[in-house]
């Protein structure tokens, strides 16, 4: 098979999820010729392919603490009837369209249906990446690269160190196949308490075999449609094809078991049906790339501030039990926020690489707080902006003047 060569780009972003999209748009808006490589035929990652909904917390009290690209996405979704401000729910199909529009308007070159294979590295620098799609194998060269794969695929291929899972046994948070039920009689739905009491009885009786302690569901942007984030697939590794295969199959089994039970148990669900499930199982955690600073649980719980902040967060430590039932929730102080330092985006051992997804440098505990979509979009905006500045000033992420980044982020609407 002949090896093609794509043009030499200033910035190459691998992965078009919330972080990669934000990174590519921000890079292009800051003057860099930017390529975004995405394995699906649409952008959005866990927001669209994983069907993760709604946006989790990005406020402290009534004050919004993440802006920039996130706010623009919300405004555009709202203008198309694809966002509900009260519940923060969004329409994933409208989301796909909005992200396409924003990327193209910014001047990003999009390459869909394309899989990252490996990095070509010399003297600590990524010189190129190897990709595959229907056109065959191709080599892409660039000056600065951004890993937005969620699993750190590019970073690990380039030689960056990483950790995976919790410290005691290496297990990662469980996966979830999200799904939407249509034609629900929402007005006559049981309360959350009634649903969960019945759910626990059904589990005790052996009618349901989902290792989760309760049902987690949300309203959507459509009347009569309820979103479920409630299946739980444990002891699976998001970096192993065999585990992902097993997770997809088990997620569908749990989904139809739960839906059957809902239809048989509650009149409000009698005529309901599965209108869609995530095109891929939702992966909460896999690798975490070790960087210049490792964010820790204490940073979340003590609402720590840093000299090089690139994003704020208020979402709590939220650890779904990797081995079964139970969820650990630990909140930062009320009416306060923590900051994510730029150093968490800079991996060790690789000079021209930034991380723009949930796998930034953090412990298992801290990762559980910063993995949500709004925070990842803030991280992505910072990574893409930094990448473009590195090209402009002929430097590397590790040597970039943070004040230049801070000023550029604020010009882009980031709240830091």
């Amino acid at each position: 098979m002949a090896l093609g060569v794509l043009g030499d780009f200033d910035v190459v972003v691998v992965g078009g999820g919330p972080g990669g999209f934000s990174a590519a748009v921000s890079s292009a808006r800051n003057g860099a010729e930017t390529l975004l490589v995405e394995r699906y035929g649409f952008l959005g990652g866990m927001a669209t392919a994983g069907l993760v909904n709604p946006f989790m917390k990005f406020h402290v009290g009534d004050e919004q603490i993440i802006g920039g690209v996130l706010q623009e996405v919300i405004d555009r979704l709202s203008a198309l009837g694809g966002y509900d401000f009260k519940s923060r729910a969004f329409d994933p199909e409208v989301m796909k369209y909005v992200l396409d529009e924003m990327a193209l308007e910014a001047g990003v070159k999009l390459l869909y249906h394309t899989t990252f294979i490996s990095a070509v590295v010399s003297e600590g620098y990524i010189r190129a990446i190897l990709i595959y799609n229907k056109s065959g194998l191709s080599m892409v060269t660039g000056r600065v690269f951004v890993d937005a794969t969620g699993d750190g695929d590019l970073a690990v291929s380039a030689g960056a160190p990483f950790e995976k899972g919790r410290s005691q046994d290496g297990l990662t948070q469980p996966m979830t196949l999200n799904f939407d039920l249509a034609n629900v009689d929402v007005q006559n739905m049981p309360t959350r308490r009634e649903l969960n009491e019945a759910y626990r009885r059904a589990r005790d009786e052996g009618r349901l075999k989902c290792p989760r302690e309760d049902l987690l569901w949300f309203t959507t942007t459509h009347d009569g449609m309820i979103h479920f984030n409630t299946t739980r697939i444990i002891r699976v590794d998001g970096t192993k094809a065999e585990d992902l295969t097993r997770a997809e199959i088990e997620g569908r089994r749990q989904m139809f078991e739960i839906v059957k039970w809902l239809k048989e148990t509650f009149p409000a669900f009698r005529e309901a049906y599965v209108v869609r499930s995530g095109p891929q199982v939702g992966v909460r955690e896999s690798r975490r790339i070790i960087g210049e600073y490792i964010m820790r649980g204490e940073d979340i719980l003590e609402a720590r501030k840093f000299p090089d902040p690139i994003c704020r967060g208020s979402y709590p430590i939220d650890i779904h039990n990797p081995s079964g039932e139970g969820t650990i929730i630990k909140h930062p102080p009320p009416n306060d926020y923590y900051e994510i330092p730029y150093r968490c985006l800079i991996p060790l051992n690789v000079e021209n690489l930034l991380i723009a997804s949930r796998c930034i440098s953090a412990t298992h505990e801290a990762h559980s707080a910063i993995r949500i979509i709004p925070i990842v979009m803030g991280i992505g905006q910072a990574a893409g902006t930094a990448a473009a500045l590195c090209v402009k000033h002929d430097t590397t992420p590790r040597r970039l003047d943070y004040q230049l980044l801070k000023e550029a982020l604020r010009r882009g609407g980031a709240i830091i």
Side-chain angles (χ1 to χ4, degrees):
M1 182 181 293
L3 181 64
V5 178
L6 292 183
D8 186 27
F9 293 89
D10 292 330
V11 175
V12 178
V13 181
V14 180
F21 158 78
S22 299
V25 167
S26 300
S27 170
R29 286 177 174 176
N30 280 277
E33 186 178 358
T34 305
L35 173 69
L36 175 54
V37 175
E38 166 55 40
R39 61 176 170 164
Y40 292 119
F42 51 86
L43 300 172
M46 286 294 103
T48 50
L51 214 61
V52 176
N53 214 320
F55 287 144
M56 291 291 106
K57 185 179 180 184
F58 54 96
H59 295 79
V60 170
D62 294 329
E63 180 186 0
Q64 185 169 328
I65 58 171
I66 304 174
V69 175
L70 170 67
Q71 185 59 53
E72 186 174 343
V73 168
I74 289 172
D75 291 343
R76 292 195 181 209
L77 286 169
S78 179
L80 294 170
Y83 188 75
D84 179 76
F85 282 92
K86 182 178 180 181
S87 66
R88 301 189 301 274
F90 58 88
D91 186 314
E93 296 303 321
V94 180
M95 175 75 82
K96 293 176 187 177
Y97 174 68
V98 164
L99 301 190
D100 277 345
E101 273 198 326
M102 288 179 62
L104 293 173
E105 288 171 11
V108 176
K109 178 176 174 56
L110 295 170
L111 197 57
Y112 290 160
H113 297 290
T114 299
T115 302
F116 164 78
I117 297 177
S118 63
V120 179
V121 181
S122 173
E123 299 179 337
Y125 285 80
I126 302 173
R127 306 300 180 181
I129 60 169
L130 185 64
I131 60 174
Y132 177 77
N133 54 30
K134 284 290 186 178
S135 302
L137 286 168
S138 297
M139 195 74 73
V140 180
T141 55
R143 295 178 63 184
V144 180
F145 292 80
V146 177
D147 185 332
T149 63
D151 300 314
D153 293 338
L154 171 56
V156 171
S157 178
F162 67 92
E163 296 177 337
K164 193 192 305 182
R166 59 187 182 186
S167 57
Q168 62 264 42
D169 54 18
L171 291 179
T172 59
Q173 290 200 61
M175 299 182 193
T176 293
L177 181 68
N178 291 289
F179 63 92
D180 290 340
L181 279 186
N183 207 31
V184 177
D185 182 1
V186 176
Q187 300 303 317
N188 293 304
M189 274 184 61
T191 64
R192 289 188 185 273
R193 179 177 178 179
E194 290 169 339
L195 265 174
N196 282 319
E197 286 178 349
Y199 169 80
R200 283 187 282 270
R201 285 196 302 270
R203 281 193 61 217
D204 292 343
E205 295 166 0
R207 297 176 60 194
L208 295 175
K209 296 180 178 62
C210 173
R212 183 185 166 92
E213 65 278 9
D214 57 10
L215 289 173
L216 181 61
W217 59 269
F218 303 93
T219 58
T220 70
T221 56
H222 299 285
D223 292 339
M225 184 183 293
I226 299 294
H227 175 73
F228 283 86
N229 180 333
T230 206
T231 63
R232 176 170 289 186
I233 305 108
I234 60 174
R235 299 182 182 276
V236 281
D237 184 337
T239 65
K240 294 181 179 179
E242 296 87 349
D243 282 16
L244 286 167
T245 302
R246 179 161 59 89
E248 298 281 6
I249 294 168
E250 173 61 13
R252 280 188 286 273
R253 187 203 66 76
Q254 290 185 20
M255 175 179 69
F256 278 101
E257 181 180 75
I258 290 168
V259 171
K260 181 176 182 290
W261 171 77
L262 286 170
K263 289 168 66 71
E264 292 174 347
T265 308
F266 300 103
F269 291 96
R270 195 67 41 83
E271 304 300 323
Y273 58 92
V274 176
V275 67
R276 61 189 170 197
S277 61
Q280 78 151 78
V281 70
V283 179
R284 288 185 175 86
E285 176 190 19
S286 58
R287 303 183 187 104
R288 303 185 309 278
I289 305 302
I290 298 174
E292 292 289 313
Y293 180 80
I294 301 174
M295 197 163 185
R296 305 181 184 281
E298 292 85 350
D299 296 328
I300 306 295
L301 298 178
E302 296 175 14
R304 287 180 180 166
K305 313 301 188 288
F306 294 93
D308 57 341
I310 51 88
C311 183
R312 296 174 178 177
S314 59
Y315 192 70
I317 289 174
D318 175 15
I319 304 175
H320 297 240
N321 187 354
S323 57
E325 187 175 315
T327 303
I328 295 171
I329 304 288
K330 295 181 180 179
H331 292 271
N335 300 316
D336 205 350
Y337 61 86
Y338 49 85
E339 292 178 334
I340 297 171
Y342 172 56
R343 288 163 292 160
C344 289
L345 281 58
I346 306 172
L348 301 180
N349 298 352
V350 190
E351 293 305 311
N352 60 336
L353 177 65
L354 287 148
I355 309 298
S357 57
R358 56 180 159 80
C359 62
I360 64 168
S361 184
T363 63
H364 173 72
E365 291 75 20
H367 167 277
S368 74
I370 57 88
R371 62 185 168 84
I372 64 167
I373 292 170
I375 291 178
V376 169
M377 291 186 74
I379 290 169
Q381 182 169 350
T385 303
L389 290 174
C390 285
V391 172
K392 181 178 180 180
H393 295 281
D394 192 24
T395 189
T396 63
R398 216 177 310 279
R399 295 196 292 265
L400 179 65
D401 182 347
Y402 168 72
Q403 290 304 314
L404 292 174
L405 176 58
K406 181 179 179 179
E407 292 166 7
L409 285 174
R410 285 182 169 171
R411 286 196 300 272
I415 302 170
I416 53 173

